[in-house]
Structures are given as structure tokens and as C-alpha cells.
Amino acid sequence: MADTPQDHPATDSGTDPLARAVAPLRDDVRFLGSLLGETIREHAGDRVFDLVETARRTAFAVRRSEADRDEVSALFKDISAADAIPVIRAFSLFALLANVAEDLHQERRRRMHRAAGEAPPDGDLEVTWTRLADLLEGDGDDRLAAVRATARVSPVLTAHPTETRRRMVFEATRRVHVLMGRRDGLRSVEQDPVTEAELAELELELRRLVLALWQTALIRNERPHIEDEVMAGLQYYEATLLEVIPPLNAQIDERLGCGGRAVVRPGSWIGGDRDGNPYVTGEVVRFATDRAAELLHGHYAEQLRLLERELSMSARIVEVDSGIAALADSLTDTEVEGSPAREDVPFRQAVRVVRRRLAARARATGSSLPRSVLLSAGRLIGLDDDPPYAGPEEMAADLETIDAGLSAVGSDLLRAPRLRDLRWALNSFGFHLQSLDMRQNSESHEDLLTELFALAGVSEDYAALDEDARVELLLGELSHDRPLLGVRAELSEFADKEMGVLRAAAEAVAGLGPDVVPHYIVSMCGSVSDLLEPAVLLKEVGLFSGSPDEPRSTVRLIPLLETIDDLAGGARMLDAALALPQFRALVRFQEDVLEIMLGYSDSNKDGGYLAANWSLYEAELALVDAAARAGVHLRFFHGRGGAVGRGGGNSYDAILAQPPGAVQGALRITEQGEIISAKYSEPVRARRNLEALVAATLEVSLLDVEGLGDDAEQAYAVMAALARLGREAYAELVHEDPGFIEYFTTSTPLSEIGELNIGSRPTSRKQTSTVDDLRAIPWVLSWSQSRVMLPGWFGVGSALKRWIDDGGNATGGEATGGSATGGHADAGHADAGDGDSAAAGGTNAGGTNAEERLATLRRLYRDWPFLRTTLSNMAQVMAKADMGLAARYAELVPDAEVGRRIHGVISDEFDLTREMLLAVTGQETLLDDNPALARSVRNRFPYLEPLNVLQVELLRRYRAGDRDPDVRTGIQLTMNGLATALRNSG
């Protein structure tokens, strides 16, 4: 199964630096591939093995232009679905193992660079501390003081249909990573009988793991439940986050000086996001919050058990202070005969008190903690009348007493790492582990309040009111605490479910503290009434205290601006909301911090890649100004997906590309899909990725990274013109071409994503076939599976060419003026529109001729992080596209003429976009600036060819009416395998 030297151009690994650098990676890939191949031969037979090998060799030959794509298709034309499944599983598992090898190689290269004395890369916090050294040594910088007071970085995990892998697969993959790292170490030292024996045993264990993976179903037979997704998200805390976040927060506090506040605070949407997901109920909310708390309490209990064993200092040797003595004696010593309370070990006694009070909390809250964490010497810890901790602050005070006691007796070395990390874990996670965001769309709020107001006699038809009347009514309801509903109120099924979710959230806050549900996000928030409506619902369950002058709530109301129009109107809505004394008073109660969520997905679906990115940038600038006028601290929540078309890409670069003032020491950012596994499944990678988020947040907040200076106005005018042109080109295909919907829905596996148990939620918010109502994940995932990747690039080539050729002033047909690059004809654009010459991108905005305009773009690409990151991300997604494979999917379109025509439009635009991108960047290939991804594409992507070919073949059969269960399973497996290999497909 592994690649062979014949699969790659010949290189001399002894003299070629690149070959030497990648040799260990290729060795790892070949080794893991050989283990998989041997496992397949032994357990699936020679016939399957030979077919897999033939497909692999043919796919590499296609990449070397030594074979035609039809040869790969011919291999599978008449294959039975049952025979196709092991082939699909083989290539899917290879992608999984190749991910491990690539991740291990990244770590290997970082270690080698450090060992050679090279500076750490950007995104490493040591680099950030150096850049901020002068600022940190001073005391008078207002920006630094503000960042110290408000710094917050919150990665928020969200569910994704291709990232609900079975726990065994997750754990086995992590184990393979650990063992391959050990193998790397053993092979780097001189071999002797001992190391050879260790190596043989290690490789045997790897064989066992590969066999277990081969014999394990990669996906579930039934649609995953939200509870499955909740547990899938929590496994990353067990794997890495509980271990990594506490020491990271300790380091940040030591270097930045945040007064003991935890900066990195994770969150989750899984179980609280009911926007378009009818399966989120009150029971789901309880499950999500309870399981998170139980996982955390189990971690605390285990760390305390180990700490009790470590702190064995005797009172006969060290003189303990009064604080330790008081804590040790604070509970009765008759817990268990012969327990540590009977021994002369006051620190153990003190830790035992903490363990008992934590165990008492678990009993009091009905937590279903594993008995193992509540046992000592086979007996339950503590007594029934032990006082439980009321909140994390009480436990933190006891741990502070133990820490101070250790310092007093000169045992500073014993304060770290376990006690230090436990204290910072409590600081970071409280008793709740993660914040669970509530989210619902504004239409649902309107429907719910229309029913509630009618039942309460407040308004006969709230939905019929205009905006001013709605705001007046809502503010009136928020002026008091009187509930709308009586105890006997009879609600519709919809209203009862919605209120059940909110009641469960209120129960979680009562039991775990306000940090467990601190945010309420309003999707499709286009008006002030949209923003205020959830406050009335929160008041109904006790999470909002009404008052005309001093309303109070620990739950922040967060508008989600998703479409391009919503982004454009966001600042006006914010101005109007903050002009309301009640709302301004609420924000003041919430420490004058106002959060706004930016939607990367729907804006991209609405206007295309370039327009969406620029709309987000412009919206942030306008929102920053609006917040400054009102004197509030603005925090953005970036709703980025894994794919570039949903805001994905390198997080460090993306944060540095934010406009001035948009990152004021704090941000929240969604993490989802294969990105979660890629970033957080292994401790070293998790630490590195979290450091990158923190580093970028601090640098963009405290340093001038935009780099435009006096050229900002010109840069903004140029970008506005490009965005307009890109949106026109995008709209011409996506919104105006009558054949596009048919092409999209039939040339991609969109319908099968909804039918074949891929993810827990429906693919659309509503039962319609329009692009507008389609959810962002299936929109992007469908294009990724078909290898078009359209959301991440379409329209950019036309925009660049038109602007370079004539400043974007041509009204259609072939672009006029001399092209600086020789380029393609620019066909059929809509009118350029109105506007002054700067905003509309007149020729004077960036030069008077094509040569000057191209030079302007090259300068902006060099100096402006926003443009550089936008184009770099686009290059990455284009490198993963394959128009040849996309042509195979186009053959699935029932109307062959529509399939050929629209594929031709897409393919021509792809070629133009690549040409223009290289002209602006000065690169020779798409990935000149990303050698790691270039290597991955070159080595890995031939293995994707059979998956795509088989997916097309199985889709054709399924749509022809073949309901063989193996056909359905095969389609699911190809989706999972491609998503695993692409790593950021949705």
C-alpha cells in the first residue's frame, strides 16, 4: 500500500536538501503503508490487495502524466459494491495514517530547527514575548493595560458531519502517533540488541493497531445523535486540552501579567446550537453540560489523588503554617480507620479535605462520576455529612492554602507541575469545563414570542408589528421581572421545546455557575428587535433581571452577522441598540464588553470569496468605530469553518490580517470538522495551535501589523473594487445562471449528505432547494468532495483581470485595455455599477494603466497582511482542487449540456484565477510559499483519486435506483475518506 521510489521523481537524498528533509516523512509513510498493505493482504486476501495496489500505481501514473484517468475508472467500472468497500477503506485508512506521518514530521522538523539554534517560527509565544519585550517592560501603555484586563482567547468546538469518528479510531490514531514518535527516536540512535528488541516490539504493537483499525467500522450505521457529537467533542479534553491549557495559561499570566486571570477559555456549540437543528432539546442541553462537568470532576479527583500521594512531608520534619493545620483539621478524622488523616502528614490531610469536599459535591449534584475517582483503598471517599464545595472559588482557596504552605516550608519545587496545573485548571475550567453557547435564529424567536405574547395578552400578533413597535414592546417587557407564562400555560410543541432548552440552560447555570452558559447567539440578526427578543425569553427562565434603568444578565446577547447585507448594516444596528438606555445599561453591567459574531460561511455563499472577505473587513472597521463612539469594548467571535470558503486557513495569519482595532486583546473563534482533530488530538500540536491563537491575538492588539500607513485609503478603494467585480462574476454563475442549481445539486453529493446519515442536523434550515437556505457545511463539503472547491476561489480571477486590464470599468464582453499578464478573455460580466471613482475602483485608484495596476497589487500583496492572507488561503484551496476529477462529477448531471457548459465555466475561471494569482504573487506555482502543503499534495493526493472515482461510480448507481446497502455504505465511506485526506473540507 505504501508509495515506492518509482512513485516519485528520482532525487539524490544525499545531496538534495529537500530530499534529505522529507526522507524521514517518506520513510514513515512507506512503513505505515506497508503495515496496512500486509494487513489487507492477510485479512482481505490477495484479490483485494492486488486491486488496491493496481489502483495506487495507476493513480500515481496519472499524476506523472504516464496514464489516462480512464484507466483508474476502468478498474472500478464493473466492481460490485461489496468489493468496492474494502478498497475505499484501504485508501481512507491510508489517508488517516498519512496524517499521522505528516503531523509527526512537522514536530520533527521543529525540533531539528530548534536544535540547530534557529529562531522559533511565527506563532510561537517565545517570538511574541520578544516582539513585545519593550512594551512589557514599561508600565504606561494604555493598550497594554486594556489587554491585561480583558485578554481572552476562546476556541469554540462545533459539530461537523465528517468529524464524529468512533472513539476507538480516535484513540488508536493517537496511539499510532505516540509509537511512531518512539520509533523515530529509537532509529536515530546507534543500534544494539536492546534497541533492536525494543524496535521490534514497538513495530509489533503498531501492527496490532493497524489490524484493529482495519477490522473496525470507520463510521456508524445510523445517523449520529447529538449526544454522540457531544462525546466526540469532549474526547479532545481528555486527549489534550485538560493537560495543555492550564500550564499555557500559567505561562501567559507570568509573562503578560493578567492578575491571575485565565486567558485561554474554551467553549462549545455542541448541544446548545439549535439553529435549524430540531434535535436539540432540554435533555440534550442537560446531557452536554452534565457530561462536561463529570469529565472535569473526574480529572480533578484523579489529580488530587496523585497530589495526595506526592505530598508526604512529615510534621516531624517540616514546620507547617497555621493555614495548612487549619485546613487539615477542618473535617472529622474518623473517615476511615488508618486513613492519611491518622498519619503525621498534614499536607496529605489537607489534600484529603479537598478530595472529600469535591466528592461531596459530586454526590450532592447527582454526578455519575466513575466510582474509581471516588474510591480510596476500595472505600468511598469522605462522609455523608462532608460539606460540598459550593463553587470553584472555595476549592481554589483551599488549593491556594496548600500552595502557600508548600512555599512556607521551602518546598517550591513541589508546587509545580501538578498543584500549579490543578490550580490553573480550576481557574480555566471552573466546575463546568467549557462554556456552552446557545444559538437560535431570529425567525424562531419571532414565532416563539408571537405565541407567548398572545397567550399572555401582551400582543395579539407580534409578528405583524413594525420595528419601532416591536422594540417598544420588548423594552417594556424588559423593564420588569413579571413572567409571561403561568404555571398552567399550554404551549405548542414548538414553544414547549424551545422553552425546555432555556429552562435546561437555567438549571445548568444554577448548578455550575454563570460561565457554563454565558452567550446567546442570534442567527440572521438584522435588527435591534432581533437582538432584544432572546432577552425576553431569558427573563422567562430567570436568566435576565428586568429593569428600566439597571437590567442585569450574565448571558451576553450576541448578534450573528452572516450575509453581506447584514454585515453592511451591522454598525447601524449597533448604533441603534447602544442608543437605547436599557441596552446600554445591560452592556455596562456586563463590564462594558459587547460581543459580535461574524459569519464567514453565509457571506461567502451570498457573494463569493473575495466579496465575503472584504465585507467582513469593512464590517469590522465600521463596528469598531461604532463601539468606540459608545465607549464599549468590542469582542469579535469569528465563525470560521475548516474550509477556506468558510474562513478557514492558518489561524495565526488570519488573526494578523484583521483590521486595526478589531482585536482588542480578545477573540473567540470556532473550530470544527477535521480541523479539530488536526489541531487538538495530540498534546504538542494542541499546545502549538493554542499558542498561535494567543500570539496572534496579542501581536495584532499591541503592534501595528496592518502595514499600510498612509496607503490605507488607496488599498481599501482597490479592494472594494475587486470585491465588487468578484461578486459580479460569482453572482453571474451562482445566482443568475438558470442551470446552476441543477448542476450543483446533481454534480456533487449534496443530496446524499442529507440522506445517508452524515451528521446530526438537516442540510437546510428550511425544506427548500435554494442556495440561500442551504447550510454552509453541506454547501462547502459538497464542492470539496467533488474537488471543485468553488467557494474558496470562484470569481477572483475575473475580478483581478478586469481590474488590472481597465480598473474594472468595462461593462461586459472581453476586457478592454492591454493585459499585464497576457490573460484570458473576461466574458459576460454585469454592469460595474455606480459610485465614485475610488470606491468603484476607477483606474486612478491603483494606476493609470495595466502595468501600474499590477504593480499596485503586487505591492499590496507584499505589504498588507489582509490581501496576502486572502490570496495565500485561496492558493491552498486551489491546490486541493482538481478540474479533471470535477469533470467526472459533471457527468452525473442529467442534462448533459448543462453539465458540460457549467463545468466549462468553472474550469475556465479556475485557469484564469490561477494565472492571475501567480501574476500578482510573483510565484511560479500555487504553493511556493507553503512547501509543507506542496509536499503533502504531491505525495498524498494520488491516493485520493480512487476515492473520488469510486464515489462517482457509486453515486451514479445510487441515483439510478440501486439501494444495495453496500452502495450507501460505500458513498458514506468515500465522503469520510476524502474529508480525512483533505483535512479542511467543510
Side-chain angles (χ1 to χ4, degrees), residues 690-880:
L690 289 171
E691 279 200 20
L693 291 177
V694 175
T697 299
L698 295 178
E699 289 177 29
V700 77
S701 299
L702 297 171
L703 303 174
D704 179 12
V705 297
E706 188 188 45
L708 289 175
D710 294 337
D711 293 334
E713 183 176 350
Q714 182 200 49
Y716 293 174
V718 170
M719 197 63 219
L722 290 171
R724 173 179 55 80
L725 295 169
R727 187 176 186 181
E728 290 172 3
Y730 177 86
E732 188 177 352
L733 174 66
V734 175
H735 298 304
E736 298 168 12
D737 193 305
F740 176 78
I741 293 296
E742 179 186 1
Y743 182 88
F744 169 57
T745 56
T746 58
S747 73
T748 72
L750 171 69
S751 60
E752 287 74 19
I753 291 173
E755 292 177 20
L756 299 182
N757 301 328
I758 306 293
S760 71
R761 72 171 63 211
T763 56
S764 294
R765 289 186 173 93
K766 303 175 183 177
Q767 297 303 310
T768 69
S769 60
T770 68
V771 171
D772 292 341
D773 289 323
L774 187 68
R775 285 196 163 277
I777 287 177
W779 165 255
V780 175
L781 180 60
S782 298
W783 289 116
S784 299
Q785 293 279 311
S786 63
R787 303 296 293 281
V788 177
M789 313 288 182
L790 181 141
W793 60 267
F794 191 87
V796 178
S798 291
L800 290 171
K801 178 169 175 54
R802 284 189 63 188
W803 190 82
I804 289 172
D805 284 354
D806 64 6
N809 292 322
T811 58
E814 184 172 345
T816 58
S819 171
T821 62
H824 290 55
D826 179 45
H829 289 284
D831 271 358
D834 299 323
D836 59 70
S837 62
T843 56
N844 290 335
T848 58
N849 56 53
E851 184 176 355
E852 289 182 4
R853 286 188 287 272
L854 178 59
T856 295
L857 289 178
R858 286 175 170 170
R859 174 174 53 79
L860 292 177
Y861 173 79
R862 182 189 68 234
D863 296 340
W864 191 12
F866 169 76
L867 183 58
R868 186 166 60 249
T869 298
T870 300
L871 295 184
S872 177
N873 285 343
M874 185 179 76
Q876 292 176 40
V877 77
M878 291 182 72
K880 295 183 178 183

Side-chain angles (χ1 to χ4, degrees), residues 551-584:
R552 300 183 303 281
S553 178
T554 59
V555 182
R556 283 196 170 87
L557 303 175
I558 301 172
L560 169 50
L561 308 179
E562 298 176 86
T563 68
I564 288 179
D565 288 343
D566 284 346
L567 288 166
R572 289 191 299 274
M573 182 184 67
L574 187 60
D575 280 334
L578 290 171
L580 300 173
Q582 271 175 277
F583 185 77
R584 183 65 185 86

